[in-house]
Amino acid sequence: MKRFHLRRASAFALALCLPLSLAAVPKIGVLLKGRNSAFWSAVEKGALASAETLGAEVTVKAPLSESDISVQIQLLNALAAQGAEAIVIAPINQQALAVPIASIAVRGVKIVVIDTQLTGKAAPVFVGTDQAAAGQAAGRLLA
């Protein structure tokens, strides 16, 4: 059941990027937090399966460690330099990635943020859990 939801979320995030280029195959970068978890592995599989279904070219990248902010920024810049028309990103750090993502978005690259919302208005599209609402719901349930 969890994998189904992850794949649906990946398909949704990729579908948001598709109206980019109707004539050519859309190039979409997917930048995850890391590679050492079943969660991110499922997200990668969902993104690749959705790309095949929707006819997009998807490149998935991730730092080896979920704490390596500088590597994630390098990978982000590399995806933009490789001509990604859209980037789906799970930022490791909501503050540290805000400016690099905003600088790429200004160049016309569509950005979809998943899992961890950024500070500021660097990316208007977020797919993930509203942690505040989830905490309030848990509090009501436990009260």
Side-chain angles (χ1 to χ4, degrees), residues 38-104:
F39 178 79
W40 294 120
S41 178
V43 172
E44 179 176 6
K45 286 177 186 175
L48 294 172
S50 296
E52 187 174 322
T53 300
L54 299 170
E57 178 186 330
V58 170
T59 301
V60 179
K61 295 190 179 285
L64 292 176
S65 166
E66 287 193 32
S67 62
D68 204 338
I69 297 167
S70 63
V71 169
Q72 193 178 42
I73 292 170
Q74 290 171 0
L75 293 171
L76 174 67
N77 290 328
L79 286 170
Q82 292 167 3
E85 299 168 69
I87 297 175
V88 177
I89 181 169
I92 291 173
N93 182 290
Q94 63 188 149
Q95 291 90 19
L97 273 291
V99 171
I101 288 171
S103 68
I104 289 172

Side-chain angles (χ1 to χ4, degrees), residues 81-135:
Q82 292 167 3
E85 299 168 69
I87 297 175
V88 177
I89 181 169
I92 291 173
N93 182 290
Q94 63 188 149
Q95 291 90 19
L97 273 291
V99 171
I101 288 171
S103 68
I104 289 172
V106 167
R107 292 186 256 161
V109 177
K110 304 297 182 199
I111 304 291
V112 176
V113 175
I114 61 172
D115 189 58
T116 301
Q117 201 161 12
L118 293 171
T119 56
K121 300 185 189 295
V125 179
F126 172 66
V127 178
T129 303
D130 181 337
Q131 300 295 342

